């Protein structure tokens, strides 16, 4: 039986495995869409997987995760800091302009989090 507590933060290896499994799911099991809800200590998280881009969302708002980039250690990383001071990696990009654009889009959503870009690696 699964524990209600999913455990702590993912390791880099676990994130790579999650991405690989999501790519398999998208390639073989996803029909048109899936809508999932995960209840967390910080409130529910809603996930939507779809074969189409959501209305009013540009395709470039989505970070490609599969196939994995050849080298993620070089490039630019978008970071987020939440209201409690916790910092999270949002995405990695090959160019500073692409990372800046992603950070600006996230900031424009009006959430209280802070976003910034730094050199990866």
């Amino acid at each position: 039986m699964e524990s209600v507590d999913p455990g702590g933060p993912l390791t880099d290896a676990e994130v790579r495995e999650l991405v690989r499994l999501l790519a398999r799911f998208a390639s073989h099991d996803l029909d048109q869409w899936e809508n999932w809800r995960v209840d967390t200590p910080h409130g529910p998280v809603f996930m939507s997987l779809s074969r189409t881009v959501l209305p009013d969302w540009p395709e470039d708002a989505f970070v490609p995760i599969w196939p994995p980039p050849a080298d993620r250690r070089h490039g630019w990383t978008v970071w987020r800091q939440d209201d409690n001071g916790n910092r999270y990696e949002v995405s990695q990009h090959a160019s500073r302009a692409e990372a800046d654009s992603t950070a600006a889009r996230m900031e424009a959503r009006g959430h209280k989090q802070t976003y910034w870009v730094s050199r990866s690696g």
Side-chain angles (χ1 to χ4, degrees):
M1 175 182 225
E2 285 288 328
S3 167
V4 173
D5 179 6
L10 296 177
T11 65
D12 289 344
E14 289 171 322
V15 170
R16 285 191 299 274
E17 181 66 2
L18 174 64
V19 167
R20 188 185 70 76
L21 291 171
L22 282 171
R24 275 182 54 196
F25 180 84
S27 296
H28 301 287
D29 299 299
L30 182 65
D31 183 19
Q32 294 179 8
W33 68 86
E34 287 287 338
N35 293 317
W36 299 336
R37 174 183 166 155
V38 176
D39 292 320
T40 74
H42 307 289
V45 173
F46 301 93
M47 293 175 257
S48 183
L49 301 172
S50 174
R51 295 203 174 272
T52 61
V53 177
L54 299 171
D56 301 323
W57 281 76
E59 192 171 325
D60 66 355
F62 297 86
V63 176
I65 62 170
W66 195 265
D71 187 355
R72 297 196 101 171
R73 293 172 298 157
H74 303 291
W76 299 91
T77 303
V78 177
W79 294 91
R80 172 178 66 91
Q81 182 170 316
D82 67 17
D83 299 339
N84 298 317
N86 299 310
R87 295 177 177 196
Y88 303 95
E89 181 178 315
V90 174
S91 57
Q92 293 195 4
H93 304 271
S95 73
R96 174 71 190 243
E98 184 180 323
D100 285 338
S101 175
T102 298
R105 269 195 312 278
M106 302 301 269
E107 285 277 348
R109 292 182 182 172
H111 297 285
K112 295 179 182 177
Q113 289 86 9
T114 301
Y115 295 89
W116 71 93
V117 173
S118 69
R119 189 76 145 135
S120 300

